[in-house]
Amino acid sequence: YKLDNCQFRPGDPDRVASVFDWDMATLGDPLVDVGICLSYWPYMQGHESLGLPDKQVFAQLYAERMQIDPAALRWYEAFANWRTGVAVQQLYDRFAGGNSADERLANVGKSVLTFLERAEAVMNGDS
Protein backbone atom coordinates (compact mmCIF):
# COMPACT_ATOMS: atom_id res chain seq x y z
CA TYR A 1 0.00 0.00 0.00
CA LYS A 2 1.03 3.59 -0.55
CA LEU A 3 -0.42 6.68 1.06
CA ASP A 4 -1.38 8.11 -2.31
CA ASN A 5 -3.61 5.19 -3.24
CA CYS A 6 -5.28 4.42 0.09
CA GLN A 7 -8.42 5.72 1.72
CA PHE A 8 -8.45 5.47 5.49
CA ARG A 9 -11.41 4.99 7.80
CA PRO A 10 -12.75 8.24 9.23
CA GLY A 11 -11.81 8.42 12.90
CA ASP A 12 -9.55 5.35 12.55
CA PRO A 13 -6.58 6.40 10.41
CA ASP A 14 -4.71 3.17 11.18
CA ARG A 15 -7.25 1.18 9.14
CA VAL A 16 -7.33 1.19 5.34
CA ALA A 17 -10.90 1.38 4.05
CA SER A 18 -10.09 1.03 0.35
CA VAL A 19 -7.25 1.01 -2.14
CA PHE A 20 -7.30 2.89 -5.43
CA ASP A 21 -5.22 1.54 -8.28
CA TRP A 22 -5.65 4.17 -10.95
CA ASP A 23 -3.93 2.12 -13.66
CA MET A 24 -6.25 -0.80 -13.09
CA ALA A 25 -9.35 1.36 -12.71
CA THR A 26 -9.15 3.14 -16.05
CA LEU A 27 -11.17 2.06 -19.05
CA GLY A 28 -9.56 1.56 -22.41
CA ASP A 29 -9.28 -0.75 -25.36
CA PRO A 30 -9.29 -4.32 -23.94
CA LEU A 31 -7.02 -5.41 -26.77
CA VAL A 32 -4.23 -3.40 -25.16
CA ASP A 33 -4.39 -5.85 -22.25
CA VAL A 34 -4.30 -8.78 -24.67
CA GLY A 35 -1.25 -7.24 -26.36
CA ILE A 36 0.50 -6.88 -23.00
CA CYS A 37 -0.26 -10.51 -22.23
CA LEU A 38 1.16 -11.60 -25.59
CA SER A 39 4.28 -9.47 -25.11
CA TYR A 40 4.98 -11.10 -21.73
CA TRP A 41 4.45 -14.62 -23.02
CA PRO A 42 8.15 -15.24 -23.87
CA TYR A 43 9.05 -14.52 -20.23
CA MET A 44 6.59 -17.03 -18.78
CA GLN A 45 8.91 -19.94 -18.23
CA GLY A 46 7.15 -23.18 -17.47
CA HIS A 47 3.80 -22.10 -18.88
CA GLU A 48 3.40 -25.54 -20.41
CA SER A 49 3.48 -27.15 -16.95
CA LEU A 50 0.59 -24.88 -15.98
CA GLY A 51 -1.44 -26.15 -18.91
CA LEU A 52 -1.21 -22.88 -20.82
CA PRO A 53 -0.97 -23.02 -24.61
CA ASP A 54 1.82 -21.38 -26.56
CA LYS A 55 1.43 -17.73 -27.56
CA GLN A 56 0.12 -18.37 -31.08
CA VAL A 57 -2.56 -20.78 -29.84
CA PHE A 58 -3.62 -18.30 -27.17
CA ALA A 59 -3.89 -15.50 -29.76
CA GLN A 60 -5.83 -17.72 -32.15
CA LEU A 61 -8.27 -18.87 -29.46
CA TYR A 62 -8.81 -15.30 -28.25
CA ALA A 63 -9.36 -14.04 -31.78
CA GLU A 64 -11.85 -16.81 -32.54
CA ARG A 65 -13.75 -16.16 -29.32
CA MET A 66 -13.90 -12.42 -29.98
CA GLN A 67 -14.55 -12.91 -33.71
CA ILE A 68 -11.60 -10.79 -34.82
CA ASP A 69 -8.73 -11.38 -37.21
CA PRO A 70 -5.78 -12.79 -35.22
CA ALA A 71 -3.44 -10.60 -37.29
CA ALA A 72 -5.11 -7.58 -35.69
CA LEU A 73 -3.51 -8.56 -32.39
CA ARG A 74 -0.01 -7.96 -33.81
CA TRP A 75 -0.37 -4.19 -33.50
CA TYR A 76 -1.35 -4.50 -29.84
CA GLU A 77 1.53 -6.84 -29.05
CA ALA A 78 3.96 -4.51 -30.83
CA PHE A 79 2.52 -1.53 -28.95
CA ALA A 80 2.98 -3.39 -25.64
CA ASN A 81 6.64 -4.06 -26.44
CA TRP A 82 7.19 -0.44 -27.44
CA ARG A 83 5.40 0.78 -24.30
CA THR A 84 7.52 -1.46 -22.09
CA GLY A 85 10.65 -0.16 -23.78
CA VAL A 86 9.58 3.40 -23.02
CA ALA A 87 8.88 2.54 -19.37
CA VAL A 88 12.26 0.81 -19.02
CA GLN A 89 13.99 3.83 -20.57
CA GLN A 90 12.26 6.10 -18.05
CA LEU A 91 13.42 3.92 -15.16
CA TYR A 92 16.97 3.88 -16.45
CA ASP A 93 16.96 7.66 -17.00
CA ARG A 94 15.84 8.19 -13.39
CA PHE A 95 18.75 6.08 -12.19
CA ALA A 96 21.28 7.64 -14.57
CA GLY A 97 20.15 11.12 -13.53
CA GLY A 98 20.67 10.36 -9.86
CA ASN A 99 16.96 10.30 -9.05
CA SER A 100 16.92 6.66 -7.97
CA ALA A 101 19.36 4.73 -5.82
CA ASP A 102 17.97 1.35 -6.96
CA GLU A 103 21.07 -0.40 -8.29
CA ARG A 104 18.91 -2.88 -10.20
CA LEU A 105 18.22 -0.07 -12.67
CA ALA A 106 21.89 0.36 -13.59
CA ASN A 107 21.69 -2.12 -16.46
CA VAL A 108 18.05 -1.99 -17.54
CA GLY A 109 18.82 0.57 -20.22
CA LYS A 110 20.45 -2.23 -22.19
CA SER A 111 17.08 -3.93 -22.68
CA VAL A 112 15.32 -0.93 -24.27
CA LEU A 113 16.58 -1.77 -27.74
CA THR A 114 15.44 -5.37 -27.28
CA PHE A 115 11.85 -4.24 -26.64
CA LEU A 116 11.91 -1.93 -29.65
CA GLU A 117 13.32 -4.69 -31.88
CA ARG A 118 10.63 -7.08 -30.62
CA ALA A 119 7.97 -4.49 -31.45
CA GLU A 120 9.30 -4.18 -34.97
CA ALA A 121 9.57 -7.95 -35.40
CA VAL A 122 5.98 -8.43 -34.25
CA MET A 123 4.72 -5.79 -36.68
CA ASN A 124 6.64 -7.52 -39.47
CA GLY A 125 5.06 -10.86 -38.56
CA ASP A 126 8.41 -12.30 -37.44
CA SER A 127 7.34 -13.14 -33.91
Side-chain angles (χ1 to χ4, degrees):
Y1 302 118
K2 300 185 312 183
L3 289 176
D4 65 346
N5 71 349
C6 290
Q7 180 181 26
F8 300 90
R9 289 188 181 179
D12 190 4
D14 292 335
R15 303 280 301 181
V16 174
S18 59
V19 178
F20 305 106
D21 188 335
W22 301 114
D23 288 339
M24 299 303 289
T26 57
L27 296 176
D29 187 339
L31 292 180
V32 170
D33 291 331
V34 176
I36 291 169
C37 181
L38 291 169
S39 75
Y40 289 163
W41 215 270
Y43 303 107
M44 296 188 334
Q45 297 177 359
H47 68 274
E48 300 90 357
S49 65
L50 297 173
L52 298 174
D54 67 28
K55 183 172 80 168
Q56 287 73 24
V57 171
F58 170 79
Q60 183 67 38
L61 291 171
Y62 184 89
E64 286 174 7
R65 177 78 181 241
M66 300 308 293
Q67 299 178 351
I68 61 173
D69 180 0
L73 296 176
R74 283 200 331 250
W75 185 91
Y76 292 94
E77 183 182 353
F79 174 73
N81 279 289
W82 175 82
R83 179 177 173 245
T84 301
V86 169
V88 169
Q89 182 68 53
Q90 286 179 303
L91 292 171
Y92 175 72
D93 285 351
R94 286 184 61 213
F95 176 80
N99 296 312
S100 174
D102 188 341
E103 291 294 326
R104 296 175 299 171
L105 301 179
N107 293 314
V108 299
K110 297 175 184 176
S111 66
V112 172
L113 186 57
T114 300
F115 286 109
L116 300 180
E117 289 171 344
R118 285 185 62 210
E120 184 176 25
V122 168
M123 282 305 297
N124 292 332
D126 298 335
S127 175

